[in-house]
Amino acid sequence: MIKLAPSILSADFSRLAEQVSLIEQGGADYVHMDVMDGAFVPNITFGGLVVQSMAGRTSLPFDIHLMIEHPEQRLQDFITPQTEFITVHQEACTHLHRVVQQIKSLGVKAGVAINPATPVSALEYILADVDMVLVMSVNPGFGGQKFIPSAMVKISELDEIRKSEELDFVIEVDGGVSLDNARALEAVGTDILVAGSAVFKAEDVPERVRQFKKL
């Protein structure tokens, strides 16, 4: 069954713990946390202090997406008892294999994200080492963007590689995910949907989570 990781990038930060409680009530599988540094992407969001402050405020595992330069220098900041995934960008890591191994050495699962213009082939020699591949279906740095259809092709390609090479990484998609395209994303091989505005901008957040889960 496909899983849902609502992104708190679209939440009301003045009521963050309450907002996370709402997605937990609805049956969300993860809390997706988009960390931006104003260098790798245009915006700045939050850092390790916010992630640490949320530990113990929910039972949901954390899915940490680092949209930052030199992520290897900051990994420890995002380690909590609830951190399940830390994902770095292929485009931000000069020594990607080393960073993936560093993440795993901290006792969490390692993910690698690719931007819309980055081909799946850029991950050819790292797929056997990762626990997750995150396909960006918008250009990173802003919430509420329109889904880029070519992401579907990438997900399908990754799913075929996973099957043919008997690999066990999960595929996550982030950007422009909605109730309208969720079924199609699952059909091409997506395991985890990241949804921000489609969840947190709903009038009834727990019900919106349930609607995604029913799909």
Side-chain angles (χ1 to χ4, degrees):
M1 179 182 292
I2 200 164
K3 295 184 177 181
L4 182 68
S7 170
I8 61 170
L9 182 62
S10 298
D12 180 348
F13 272 72
S14 69
R15 302 184 296 123
L16 189 53
E18 178 186 336
Q19 295 268 281
V20 172
S21 176
L22 291 175
I23 64 171
E24 185 173 4
Q25 290 173 34
D29 299 284
Y30 300 97
V31 182
H32 187 84
M33 301 183 176
D34 289 305
V35 178
M36 304 180 188
D37 64 357
F40 180 68
V41 293
N43 281 335
I44 297 173
T45 53
F46 53 85
L49 288 176
V50 170
V51 175
Q52 297 288 339
S53 73
M54 289 304 299
R57 303 297 295 272
T58 176
S59 64
L60 295 176
F62 295 168
D63 174 24
I64 311 295
H65 179 192
L66 300 183
M67 288 176 269
I68 65 176
E69 293 183 350
H70 307 295
E72 68 278 2
Q73 299 175 8
R74 302 255 62 100
L75 296 176
Q76 188 66 53
D77 297 349
F78 303 97
I79 300 298
T80 77
Q82 286 166 256
T83 304
E84 182 166 336
F85 290 101
I86 292 181
T87 297
V88 296
H89 270 259
Q90 182 272 344
E91 303 86 358
C93 298
T94 303
H95 304 288
L96 182 57
H97 183 274
R98 181 185 299 167
V99 178
V100 166
Q101 297 308 315
Q102 186 180 349
I103 294 170
K104 290 187 171 187
S105 75
L106 295 171
V108 299
K109 297 175 183 176
V112 175
I114 52 174
N115 285 338
T118 302
V120 168
S121 59
L123 302 178
E124 180 179 359
Y125 294 105
I126 199 69
L127 288 177
D129 297 288
V130 301
D131 301 294
M132 175 198 286
V133 176
L134 169 52
V135 175
M136 292 299 300
S137 44
V138 298
N139 288 293
F142 301 92
Q145 297 183 67
K146 186 177 179 181
F147 183 87
I148 298 174
S150 59
M152 291 280 195
V153 179
K154 290 186 183 181
I155 295 166
S156 181
E157 186 178 349
L158 283 163
D159 189 43
E160 288 299 318
I161 293 171
R162 175 170 61 180
K163 290 173 181 174
S164 64
E165 299 186 13
E166 298 183 347
L167 301 175
D168 60 0
F169 60 85
V170 297
I171 301 171
E172 183 174 72
V173 61
D174 183 359
V177 173
S178 68
L179 290 173
D180 293 332
N181 59 22
R183 285 189 185 277
L185 286 165
E186 182 176 22
V188 294
T190 305
D191 301 294
I192 304 173
L193 298 171
V194 176
S197 300
V199 170
F200 285 107
K201 301 307 181 185
E203 289 188 14
D204 187 332
V205 172
E207 179 57 27
R208 178 57 54 85
V209 172
R210 285 190 284 268
Q211 288 172 348
F212 268 103
K213 296 292 290 182
K214 286 175 184 176
L215 295 175

